[in-house]
Amino acid sequence: MPATLRWNRLVIAAANEQEFIAAVFEYFPQLLQLPYDEVEMDITGSTEITEDAFRSIALKLIGGEAAEKKMLIRIPESVERYFKHANLFRVVDIDVVRAVPRNGRNADPGRVKANINAGKFAAKKTKGPAAPDKTERAPQQAAPVELQPQPATPPKRPTGKVPYTGPGWLVDVETGQRFPINDRITVGREAPADVVFQVPTISKRHFIIRRGESGFVVEDMRSTNGTYLNGLPVHEPMPLRDGDELVVAITLKHPKGARIFQFSTKPA
Protein backbone atom coordinates (compact mmCIF):
# COMPACT_ATOMS: atom_id res chain seq x y z
CA MET A 1 0.00 0.00 0.00
CA PRO A 2 1.52 3.38 -1.01
CA ALA A 3 1.05 4.97 2.41
CA THR A 4 2.99 5.38 5.64
CA LEU A 5 1.68 6.26 9.08
CA ARG A 6 4.26 7.46 11.59
CA TRP A 7 3.77 9.41 14.76
CA ASN A 8 0.97 11.85 13.95
CA ARG A 9 1.56 12.00 10.19
CA LEU A 10 -0.03 10.07 7.31
CA VAL A 11 1.73 10.22 3.94
CA ILE A 12 -0.09 8.91 0.86
CA ALA A 13 1.93 8.53 -2.35
CA ALA A 14 -0.49 6.78 -4.69
CA ALA A 15 0.21 6.21 -8.38
CA ASN A 16 -3.44 6.18 -9.46
CA GLU A 17 -6.96 6.95 -8.33
CA GLN A 18 -7.75 3.44 -7.08
CA GLU A 19 -4.64 3.33 -4.89
CA PHE A 20 -5.42 6.76 -3.45
CA ILE A 21 -9.01 5.88 -2.49
CA ALA A 22 -7.92 2.54 -1.00
CA ALA A 23 -5.19 4.23 1.06
CA VAL A 24 -7.62 6.85 2.39
CA PHE A 25 -10.17 4.28 3.50
CA GLU A 26 -7.55 2.06 5.15
CA TYR A 27 -5.26 4.57 6.83
CA PHE A 28 -7.34 7.70 7.51
CA PRO A 29 -9.37 6.06 10.33
CA GLN A 30 -6.07 4.90 11.88
CA LEU A 31 -4.76 8.48 11.75
CA LEU A 32 -7.78 9.75 13.68
CA GLN A 33 -7.32 7.08 16.36
CA LEU A 34 -3.80 8.24 17.23
CA PRO A 35 -3.51 9.87 20.69
CA TYR A 36 -2.65 13.31 19.32
CA ASP A 37 -4.76 16.45 19.24
CA GLU A 38 -2.97 17.62 16.08
CA VAL A 39 -2.47 15.31 13.09
CA GLU A 40 -1.12 15.76 9.58
CA MET A 41 -1.85 14.21 6.18
CA ASP A 42 0.45 14.63 3.18
CA ILE A 43 -0.93 13.76 -0.27
CA THR A 44 1.60 15.70 -2.36
CA GLY A 45 3.19 12.44 -3.50
CA SER A 46 0.01 11.22 -5.19
CA THR A 47 0.41 11.75 -8.90
CA GLU A 48 -3.24 11.44 -9.92
CA ILE A 49 -6.10 12.72 -7.78
CA THR A 50 -9.29 13.29 -9.75
CA GLU A 51 -12.37 15.00 -8.40
CA ASP A 52 -14.04 11.60 -7.98
CA ALA A 53 -11.12 10.41 -5.86
CA PHE A 54 -11.22 13.60 -3.81
CA ARG A 55 -14.82 12.90 -2.84
CA SER A 56 -13.58 9.89 -0.87
CA ILE A 57 -12.04 12.20 1.73
CA ALA A 58 -14.27 15.29 1.54
CA LEU A 59 -16.87 14.17 4.08
CA LYS A 60 -14.31 12.32 6.21
CA LEU A 61 -12.49 15.59 6.92
CA ILE A 62 -15.48 17.25 8.58
CA GLY A 63 -17.39 14.36 10.13
CA GLY A 64 -16.98 12.02 13.07
CA GLU A 65 -13.64 11.97 14.87
CA ALA A 66 -12.06 14.30 12.28
CA ALA A 67 -14.10 17.19 13.68
CA GLU A 68 -12.39 16.70 17.06
CA LYS A 69 -8.84 16.91 15.69
CA LYS A 70 -6.76 19.83 14.53
CA MET A 71 -5.62 18.73 11.10
CA LEU A 72 -3.01 19.98 8.65
CA ILE A 73 -3.15 18.67 5.08
CA ARG A 74 -0.37 19.17 2.56
CA ILE A 75 -1.75 19.06 -0.97
CA PRO A 76 -0.37 19.50 -4.50
CA GLU A 77 -1.36 22.60 -6.42
CA SER A 78 -3.41 20.49 -8.83
CA VAL A 79 -6.13 19.74 -6.23
CA GLU A 80 -6.29 23.17 -4.60
CA ARG A 81 -9.52 24.02 -6.42
CA TYR A 82 -11.22 20.88 -5.04
CA PHE A 83 -10.57 22.05 -1.47
CA LYS A 84 -11.78 25.58 -2.28
CA HIS A 85 -15.01 24.34 -3.87
CA ALA A 86 -15.69 22.20 -0.79
CA ASN A 87 -14.92 25.13 1.57
CA LEU A 88 -12.45 22.90 3.42
CA PHE A 89 -10.04 25.80 3.92
CA ARG A 90 -12.35 26.89 6.75
CA VAL A 91 -12.38 23.45 8.34
CA VAL A 92 -8.76 22.24 8.23
CA ASP A 93 -5.39 23.89 7.74
CA ILE A 94 -4.21 23.55 4.14
CA ASP A 95 -0.60 23.79 3.00
CA VAL A 96 -0.45 24.03 -0.80
CA VAL A 97 2.90 22.80 -2.12
CA ARG A 98 3.57 24.75 -5.30
CA ALA A 99 6.15 24.02 -7.97
CA VAL A 100 9.24 26.24 -7.63
CA PRO A 101 10.56 27.67 -10.93
CA ARG A 102 13.99 26.25 -11.70
CA ASN A 103 16.92 28.34 -12.94
CA GLY A 104 19.56 27.18 -15.40
CA ARG A 105 21.78 25.63 -12.77
CA ASN A 106 19.04 23.59 -11.15
CA ALA A 107 17.16 22.70 -14.30
CA ASP A 108 15.89 19.18 -14.73
CA PRO A 109 18.48 17.39 -16.96
CA GLY A 110 15.75 15.35 -18.62
CA ARG A 111 13.85 18.46 -19.68
CA VAL A 112 17.00 20.20 -20.90
CA LYS A 113 17.91 17.19 -23.04
CA ALA A 114 14.40 17.06 -24.47
CA ASN A 115 14.50 20.78 -25.27
CA ILE A 116 17.86 20.46 -26.99
CA ASN A 117 16.61 17.57 -29.09
CA ALA A 118 13.60 19.64 -30.04
CA GLY A 119 15.83 22.46 -31.22
CA LYS A 120 14.77 24.95 -28.55
CA PHE A 121 18.39 25.78 -27.64
CA ALA A 122 20.80 27.12 -30.32
CA ALA A 123 24.34 25.74 -30.42
CA LYS A 124 27.05 27.95 -28.94
CA LYS A 125 29.08 29.94 -31.45
CA THR A 126 32.77 29.00 -31.79
CA LYS A 127 35.55 31.56 -32.13
CA GLY A 128 36.74 32.28 -35.68
CA PRO A 129 35.05 31.63 -39.01
CA ALA A 130 33.39 28.31 -39.55
CA ALA A 131 35.17 25.90 -41.89
CA PRO A 132 33.54 25.74 -45.33
CA ASP A 133 31.71 22.61 -46.25
CA LYS A 134 33.62 21.04 -49.13
CA THR A 135 31.26 18.13 -49.64
CA GLU A 136 29.75 18.10 -53.12
CA ARG A 137 26.05 17.52 -53.21
CA ALA A 138 24.04 16.49 -56.23
CA PRO A 139 21.15 18.80 -57.08
CA GLN A 140 17.93 17.56 -55.63
CA GLN A 141 14.93 17.25 -57.92
CA ALA A 142 11.44 17.03 -56.57
CA ALA A 143 9.72 13.82 -57.51
CA PRO A 144 6.42 14.24 -59.36
CA VAL A 145 3.40 13.88 -57.15
CA GLU A 146 0.40 12.03 -58.50
CA LEU A 147 -2.82 13.21 -56.94
CA GLN A 148 -5.27 10.49 -56.04
CA PRO A 149 -9.02 11.13 -55.90
CA GLN A 150 -10.19 11.40 -52.31
CA PRO A 151 -13.13 9.23 -51.28
CA ALA A 152 -16.23 11.00 -50.03
CA THR A 153 -16.22 11.46 -46.27
CA PRO A 154 -19.06 9.48 -44.67
CA PRO A 155 -21.38 11.47 -42.39
CA LYS A 156 -20.38 11.35 -38.73
CA ARG A 157 -22.75 9.86 -36.21
CA PRO A 158 -23.72 12.00 -33.24
CA THR A 159 -21.57 11.17 -30.21
CA GLY A 160 -23.66 12.83 -27.50
CA LYS A 161 -25.22 10.81 -24.71
CA VAL A 162 -28.82 9.74 -25.10
CA PRO A 163 -30.93 11.76 -22.65
CA TYR A 164 -32.49 9.77 -19.82
CA THR A 165 -36.25 10.03 -20.14
CA GLY A 166 -37.36 7.58 -17.45
CA PRO A 167 -38.53 8.38 -13.93
CA GLY A 168 -36.30 8.92 -10.91
CA TRP A 169 -36.60 8.38 -7.18
CA LEU A 170 -35.28 10.24 -4.14
CA VAL A 171 -34.59 7.71 -1.39
CA ASP A 172 -34.39 8.68 2.29
CA VAL A 173 -31.44 6.57 3.46
CA GLU A 174 -32.57 6.62 7.11
CA THR A 175 -36.13 5.43 6.58
CA GLY A 176 -35.93 3.86 3.12
CA GLN A 177 -38.90 5.93 1.95
CA ARG A 178 -38.90 6.57 -1.82
CA PHE A 179 -40.24 9.75 -3.41
CA PRO A 180 -40.99 9.52 -7.16
CA ILE A 181 -39.62 12.22 -9.46
CA ASN A 182 -41.36 12.79 -12.77
CA ASP A 183 -40.27 16.25 -13.86
CA ARG A 184 -39.26 17.95 -10.59
CA ILE A 185 -39.36 17.63 -6.82
CA THR A 186 -38.57 20.19 -4.10
CA VAL A 187 -37.25 19.33 -0.63
CA GLY A 188 -37.68 21.76 2.27
CA ARG A 189 -38.80 22.38 5.83
CA GLU A 190 -42.38 23.39 5.03
CA ALA A 191 -44.91 23.76 2.20
CA PRO A 192 -44.96 24.48 -0.69
CA ALA A 193 -42.04 22.01 -0.78
CA ASP A 194 -43.08 18.64 -2.22
CA VAL A 195 -41.12 16.66 0.40
CA VAL A 196 -41.18 18.22 3.88
CA PHE A 197 -38.74 17.50 6.72
CA GLN A 198 -39.35 19.59 9.82
CA VAL A 199 -35.67 19.82 10.73
CA PRO A 200 -34.38 23.22 11.95
CA THR A 201 -31.20 23.03 9.87
CA ILE A 202 -33.16 22.44 6.65
CA SER A 203 -34.26 25.58 4.82
CA LYS A 204 -37.88 26.24 3.79
CA ARG A 205 -36.91 25.44 0.20
CA HIS A 206 -33.61 23.58 0.44
CA PHE A 207 -32.95 21.93 -2.92
CA ILE A 208 -34.74 20.90 -6.07
CA ILE A 209 -34.29 18.00 -8.48
CA ARG A 210 -35.57 18.63 -11.99
CA ARG A 211 -35.31 17.04 -15.39
CA GLY A 212 -32.65 18.65 -17.58
CA GLU A 213 -31.66 18.24 -21.23
CA SER A 214 -29.69 15.02 -20.61
CA GLY A 215 -31.35 13.75 -17.42
CA PHE A 216 -31.99 14.87 -13.85
CA VAL A 217 -30.03 17.66 -12.16
CA VAL A 218 -29.92 18.88 -8.56
CA GLU A 219 -29.86 22.56 -7.63
CA ASP A 220 -29.42 24.15 -4.21
CA MET A 221 -32.08 26.79 -3.50
CA ARG A 222 -29.72 29.15 -1.63
CA SER A 223 -30.14 27.11 1.52
CA THR A 224 -28.51 28.20 4.77
CA ASN A 225 -26.52 25.02 5.40
CA GLY A 226 -25.95 23.85 1.86
CA THR A 227 -26.51 20.77 -0.28
CA TYR A 228 -23.70 18.27 -0.93
CA LEU A 229 -23.45 15.90 -3.89
CA ASN A 230 -21.11 12.98 -3.17
CA GLY A 231 -19.30 15.08 -0.58
CA LEU A 232 -18.95 18.28 -2.61
CA PRO A 233 -21.12 21.40 -2.20
CA VAL A 234 -23.63 22.18 -4.94
CA HIS A 235 -23.04 25.74 -6.20
CA GLU A 236 -24.75 25.30 -9.58
CA PRO A 237 -27.08 22.75 -11.21
CA MET A 238 -25.25 19.40 -11.17
CA PRO A 239 -26.18 16.27 -13.17
CA LEU A 240 -27.29 13.22 -11.20
CA ARG A 241 -26.34 9.61 -11.80
CA ASP A 242 -27.90 6.49 -10.38
CA GLY A 243 -26.58 5.90 -6.84
CA ASP A 244 -25.43 9.48 -6.21
CA GLU A 245 -25.55 10.60 -2.56
CA LEU A 246 -27.16 13.89 -1.50
CA VAL A 247 -26.50 15.32 1.96
CA VAL A 248 -28.41 18.34 3.26
CA ALA A 249 -28.24 20.47 6.39
CA ILE A 250 -24.70 19.43 7.28
CA THR A 251 -22.99 21.80 9.71
CA LEU A 252 -19.58 21.80 11.35
CA LYS A 253 -21.18 21.70 14.80
CA HIS A 254 -23.49 18.82 13.88
CA PRO A 255 -21.71 16.75 11.18
CA LYS A 256 -23.75 13.66 12.03
CA GLY A 257 -27.09 15.47 12.06
CA ALA A 258 -27.39 15.74 8.30
CA ARG A 259 -30.18 14.23 6.23
CA ILE A 260 -28.86 11.77 3.65
CA PHE A 261 -30.61 10.85 0.41
CA GLN A 262 -29.78 8.70 -2.58
CA PHE A 263 -30.84 9.36 -6.15
CA SER A 264 -32.01 6.29 -8.01
CA THR A 265 -33.27 5.48 -11.49
CA LYS A 266 -34.21 1.93 -10.57
CA PRO A 267 -37.62 0.92 -9.26
CA ALA A 268 -37.78 -0.71 -5.84
Side-chain angles (χ1 to χ4, degrees):
M1 183 63 66
T4 55
L5 182 62
R6 295 182 179 178
W7 298 100
N8 68 331
R9 191 164 183 253
L10 170 62
V11 179
I12 299 178
N16 53 58
E17 180 176 340
Q18 289 74 20
E19 285 188 357
F20 178 77
I21 295 176
V24 169
F25 275 84
E26 180 174 351
Y27 286 93
F28 189 76
Q30 299 180 36
L31 176 67
L32 298 181
Q33 293 175 4
L34 295 177
Y36 302 104
D37 295 331
E38 300 182 7
V39 293
E40 299 180 10
M41 183 164 66
D42 188 335
I43 60 176
T44 56
S46 297
T47 58
E48 182 181 348
I49 304 178
T50 64
E51 191 161 1
D52 288 336
F54 169 78
R55 291 171 181 170
S56 67
I57 65 173
L59 278 181
K60 291 180 178 293
L61 295 176
I62 60 176
E65 297 180 14
E68 303 172 0
K69 300 275 188 179
K70 179 176 177 58
M71 182 172 296
L72 170 65
I73 303 181
R74 290 185 173 86
I75 63 174
E77 190 175 5
S78 58
V79 302
E80 181 180 6
R81 61 188 182 93
Y82 299 159
F83 280 74
K84 287 184 177 180
H85 290 169
N87 292 324
L88 290 177
F89 278 83
R90 298 186 302 176
V91 182
V92 295
D93 294 329
I94 307 296
D95 181 13
V96 183
V97 179
R98 305 184 187 277
V100 179
R102 299 177 179 270
N103 54 30
R105 291 177 301 175
N106 297 328
D108 184 353
R111 291 188 178 181
V112 172
K113 183 177 180 181
N115 290 335
I116 292 176
N117 293 337
K120 293 186 178 180
F121 289 95
K124 294 183 178 180
K125 294 182 178 180
T126 58
K127 294 182 179 180
D133 186 359
K134 298 181 180 179
T135 305
E136 295 184 0
R137 294 182 175 87
Q140 299 292 329
Q141 295 183 356
V145 179
E146 183 178 354
L147 299 179
Q148 299 292 337
Q150 297 295 326
T153 304
K156 295 183 177 180
R157 297 181 179 180
T159 57
K161 294 183 179 179
V162 178
Y164 176 74
T165 58
W169 285 269
L170 183 67
V171 183
D172 186 342
V173 174
E174 182 178 350
T175 64
Q177 188 174 2
R178 299 167 60 91
F179 303 95
I181 310 171
N182 292 319
D183 291 323
R184 58 191 297 155
I185 190 172
T186 306
V187 176
R189 191 175 68 246
E190 59 185 47
D194 302 308
V195 179
V196 175
F197 293 93
Q198 295 182 345
V199 179
T201 51
I202 293 181
S203 299
K204 293 181 180 179
R205 296 179 71 228
H206 202 100
F207 73 90
I208 184 172
I209 296 178
R210 54 181 174 80
R211 191 183 297 276
E213 295 181 355
S214 58
F216 287 100
V217 297
V218 59
E219 182 177 358
D220 183 76
M221 306 299 289
R222 297 183 179 180
S223 64
T224 302
N225 295 312
T227 303
Y228 292 77
L229 173 61
N230 296 327
L232 294 178
V234 177
H235 297 302
E236 57 186 13
M238 298 294 294
L240 289 172
R241 296 174 296 182
D242 183 69
D244 278 349
E245 182 183 72
L246 288 168
V247 179
V248 302
I250 187 170
T251 64
L252 300 182
K253 294 183 179 180
H254 306 284
K256 296 183 180 180
R259 202 79 185 189
I260 302 176
F261 301 94
Q262 187 178 49
F263 175 75
S264 175
T265 59
K266 301 174 182 178

